[in-house]
Amino acid sequence: MTAKFDKSKLPSRHVSVGPERAPHRSYYYAMGLSEEEIARPFVAVASAGNDSAPCNTTLDAQADVCRTGVEQGGGMPRRFNTITVTDGIAMGHQGMKSSLVSREVIADSVEVSVRGHCYDALVGFAGCDKSLPGMMMAMLRLNVPSIFVYGGSILPGTYRGEDVTVVDVFEAVGQHAAGNCPLKDLTALEKVACPGHGACGGQFTANTMACVGEAIGLSLPNSNMAPAPNRSREEVAIAAGKQVMTLLEKNLRPRDICTRAAFENAARVVAATGGSTNAALHLPAMASEAGIDFDLFDVAEMFKSTPYIADLKPGGKYVAKDMHEAGGVYMAMKTLLDGGFLNPEPMTVTGKTLGENIDEITWNPDQKVFYDVKTPITPTGGVVGLKGSLAPEGAIVKVAGMERLQFTGPAQVFECEEDAFAAVEARNIAEGSVVVIRNEGPKGGPGMREMLSTTAALYGQGMGEKVALITDGRFSGATRGFCIGHVGPEAAAGGPIGLIKDGDMIAIDAEAGTIDLLVDEAELEVRRKDWKPHRNDYGAGALWRYAQNVGPAYKGALTHPGAAAESHVYADI
């Protein structure tokens, strides 16, 4: 079974081949492996499974099933776990500072485990927002043959005959604060919004990055959108385990698959599906792991020329289950390719090009989720990049489902999310204002928190379209309304957002792609002389270390130089 694999050229030779490795092999015998099994390639099966949230609760079982596929392909599976921080639970308090940090911890921990044990290939299972890019970053960093598997989304809940998601609960909190939702109704909604296993059901960050996994070629075609409870998830897990052995045989690696053209395709799929603004953070980070310079402005360039064609929540009607039943992300890519919006050439984990995979898909004109590119929902993407005097290093806004694309108003400035949320709950946000939440960037937070609690509360109060909100932090993929994140440079780095005062006029034009602080430069220069960086509470530990190392948001908020600075690649040890 192992004849097609030459272990003398694989990393696992360092722990399993030759007389000098007898002590190492003794550990494998201790775990019940036979001599023949030790002679096989060692395949890492990494799971982000845990009991933290329903996003992750099926992952360990899927990873265990994957072992069967690895063994069928002639490999020896070696399973281990990594952490997650689940945004729906971390949201709205200090715990959210750990969310983006967890992406780096996940990538680092998978890298370290694979390096330490000299694994030859990798199948990674993830379900919650940051675990998806974290797992794919590790694959690109290690560059061993790899396949990414998404654990699947949650089924929608039902409340008063309507499909609901966790976002409806967040918005109901705002309705309750406004006196429009009795506590008994809020309690009834929270008990039915999330009916079981799986990640958030709308086109939020998890499902956005699951679409990226397929669009960029690291996941098997139409494997990621099946809901977590579906039996087909077991079939996907087995297929991934078996296929990774084919990749190992062919020596087809992530950096062979994730070319610049593949990243451009992925960005277009995000825009076309009205995906999360967080993709503009994760795609540059993933690209850096492959040695590709692909920053926020490159992402935005793809966004502004891509039609918005998927009627998905939070801007539209449907959830991931509906997307799966409509044909999955490959159905969207079918019409995008036909319209000339995708490059068919990048390779995928099937061993075929993206175009060859799409050729196997038949467009279904009867499904309701995806529009043909000839008749899109809107002619430009659901996510837009911004740049201007307030954000020289750029910013990002999700416009899917929005009618108003321009906004000018006076600033209401808050130094952290808690202060802004308190003002929202107290109904102290003025209609027509631009709410500014600063010191929440990668370095200043630290950790670049998402602001779903605040934005959802505004929406619940009926203020979602009546104010704009800007931050050097992030927004959830579930956020809707005129909410602009990733403003850079961040306040902690001396960016213009740190100089804003209450009443300053701010002009935003999501159509033109601009965001400007309408204050005279001479006045700003005076303010710069008086400016002092905000001091956070983290003088030690993981958050302190992250703040010391993290780079700007427009390059992905990275904590290391990426593949461009490598002197060797792990896969070639």
Side-chain angles (χ1 to χ4, degrees):
M1 184 175 286
T2 59
K4 58 187 176 182
F5 300 107
D6 182 357
K7 254 208 163 182
S8 69
K9 297 179 180 178
L10 296 178
S12 64
R13 72 186 185 278
H14 295 296
V15 297
S16 62
V17 175
E20 69 277 15
R21 303 307 179 198
H24 306 69
R25 287 192 297 273
S26 71
Y27 281 6
Y28 297 117
Y29 287 122
M31 291 183 280
L33 272 63
S34 67
E35 185 175 350
E36 185 272 331
E37 288 171 329
I38 295 171
R40 298 180 186 184
F42 289 170
V43 178
V45 180
S47 169
N50 55 54
D51 295 341
S52 300
C55 334
N56 311 312
T57 45
T58 67
L59 296 177
D60 285 351
Q62 292 184 40
D64 281 336
V65 170
C66 177
R67 296 175 192 257
T68 301
V70 172
E71 290 169 352
Q72 288 175 354
M76 180 45 37
R78 302 284 83 199
R79 195 172 85 71
F80 65 88
N81 279 60
T82 185
I83 64 130
T84 62
V85 171
T86 298
D87 291 2
I89 291 176
M91 195 74 68
H93 55 87
Q94 293 289 307
M96 193 39 141
K97 293 179 184 290
S98 298
S99 171
L100 187 57
V101 177
S102 76
R103 184 192 72 179
E104 314 311 306
V105 173
I106 290 162
D108 290 352
S109 64
V110 172
E111 176 201 358
V112 168
S113 188
V114 170
R115 281 185 182 276
H117 301 109
C118 293
Y119 295 141
D120 302 317
L122 170 61
V123 183
F125 290 79
C128 199
D129 295 357
K130 306 309 168 294
S131 61
L132 281 80
M135 194 70 74
M136 288 187 275
M137 286 164 66
M139 292 172 176
L140 288 159
R141 187 183 302 178
L142 292 160
N143 205 32
V144 291
S146 301
I147 294 180
F148 173 74
V149 184
Y150 179 44
S153 68
I154 199 169
L155 295 171
T158 303
Y159 183 67
R160 295 178 175 172
E162 299 287 333
D163 282 354
V164 292
T165 71
V166 70
V167 177
D168 295 282
V169 187
F170 274 102
E171 292 185 1
V173 171
Q175 293 168 357
H176 174 68
N180 297 326
C181 178
L183 182 59
K184 65 180 178 59
D185 291 351
L186 177 61
T187 302
L189 175 61
E190 74 180 67
K191 290 180 177 180
V192 299
C194 300
H197 302 293
C200 296
Q203 193 63 345
F204 314 149
T205 304
N207 284 323
T208 297
M209 296 310 296
C211 289
V212 163
E214 293 192 36
I216 211 164
L218 286 177
S219 296
L220 295 170
N222 279 335
S223 62
N224 285 345
M225 285 301 107
N230 281 29
R231 287 298 300 271
S232 63
R233 297 245 52 95
E234 292 185 4
E235 297 168 9
V236 168
I238 293 170
K242 193 169 183 179
Q243 182 61 21
V244 83
M245 299 308 298
T246 300
L247 298 182
L248 185 60
E249 182 182 1
K250 294 180 177 180
N251 196 29
L252 184 57
R253 301 178 178 186
R255 295 185 196 177
D256 301 324
I257 291 167
C258 297
T259 61
R260 184 180 179 86
F263 279 98
E264 291 175 351
N265 284 342
R268 288 196 185 279
V269 167
V270 171
T273 59
S276 168
T277 55
N278 282 312
L281 194 69
H282 302 322
L283 286 173
M286 289 169 59
S288 178
E289 302 286 4
I292 298 168
D293 188 6
F294 191 71
D295 64 21
L296 170 64
F297 299 112
D298 296 308
V299 175
E301 190 66 28
M302 297 297 104
F303 285 173
K304 75 179 182 183
S305 58
T306 306
Y308 169 44
I309 62 169
D311 192 8
L312 295 165
K313 287 178 179 285
K317 301 177 190 173
Y318 299 107
V319 295
K321 174 184 75 74
D322 305 311
M323 184 180 183
H324 171 62
E325 292 170 355
V329 68
Y330 264 79
M331 188 62 62
M333 291 197 292
K334 177 74 173 176
T335 188
L336 287 172
L337 181 61
D338 290 348
F341 293 100
L342 293 184
N343 186 323
E345 297 303 319
M347 186 58 64
T348 72
V349 292
T350 64
K352 302 176 183 177
T353 66
L354 184 71
E356 288 172 328
N357 290 343
I358 293 174
D359 282 344
E360 298 176 10
I361 303 298
T362 301
W363 174 256
N364 176 9
D366 298 323
Q367 55 78 32
K368 305 296 184 185
V369 175
F370 303 112
Y371 288 60
D372 190 293
V373 291
K374 298 184 184 72
T375 56
I377 300 170
T378 57
T380 55
V383 187
V384 173
L386 306 173
K387 189 177 184 180
S389 63
L390 180 50
E393 290 183 355
I396 199 85
V397 60
K398 185 171 186 172
V399 298
M402 283 174 49
E403 295 181 5
R404 184 177 184 179
L405 297 180
Q406 290 82 25
F407 200 106
T408 299
Q412 276 190 264
V413 183
F414 300 93
E415 303 298 338
C416 65
E417 185 193 8
E418 284 85 356
D419 292 350
F421 186 74
V424 171
E425 283 213 303
R427 308 301 299 272
N428 288 335
I429 301 298
E431 186 174 325
S433 67
V434 178
V435 178
V436 177
I437 306 177
R438 63 190 178 198
N439 301 306
E440 294 287 5
K443 185 180 294 290
M448 204 179 184
R449 282 195 289 184
E450 290 182 353
M451 309 290 171
L452 179 59
S453 293
T454 301
T455 59
L458 281 168
Y459 234 95
Q461 292 177 4
M463 292 283 283
E465 302 288 342
K466 297 176 182 178
V467 299
L469 196 155
I470 68 170
T471 180
D472 50 9
R474 298 180 294 126
F475 291 111
S476 166
T479 292
R480 57 180 177 149
F482 219 137
C483 299
I484 295 138
H486 305 199
V487 170
E490 62 174 294
I497 191 172
L499 305 178
I500 302 172
K501 291 185 176 180
D502 285 334
D504 287 349
M505 296 301 291
I506 295 171
I508 308 155
D509 189 332
E511 200 164 21
T514 58
I515 178 168
D516 292 299
L517 176 59
L518 306 181
V519 175
D520 182 81
E521 181 57 36
E523 169 61 19
L524 290 178
E525 190 55 40
V526 171
R527 295 183 189 180
R528 283 190 190 97
K529 292 176 181 176
D530 294 334
W531 176 82
K532 294 179 181 178
H534 179 78
R535 186 185 180 113
N536 65 54
D537 296 331
Y538 299 90
L543 294 180
W544 176 87
R545 185 166 57 245
Y546 180 85
Q548 309 313 304
N549 293 305
V550 70
Y554 83 101
K555 286 189 174 291
L558 290 157
T559 56
H560 70 109
E566 283 180 342
S567 59
H568 81 281
V569 179
Y570 161 77
D572 295 326
I573 63 168

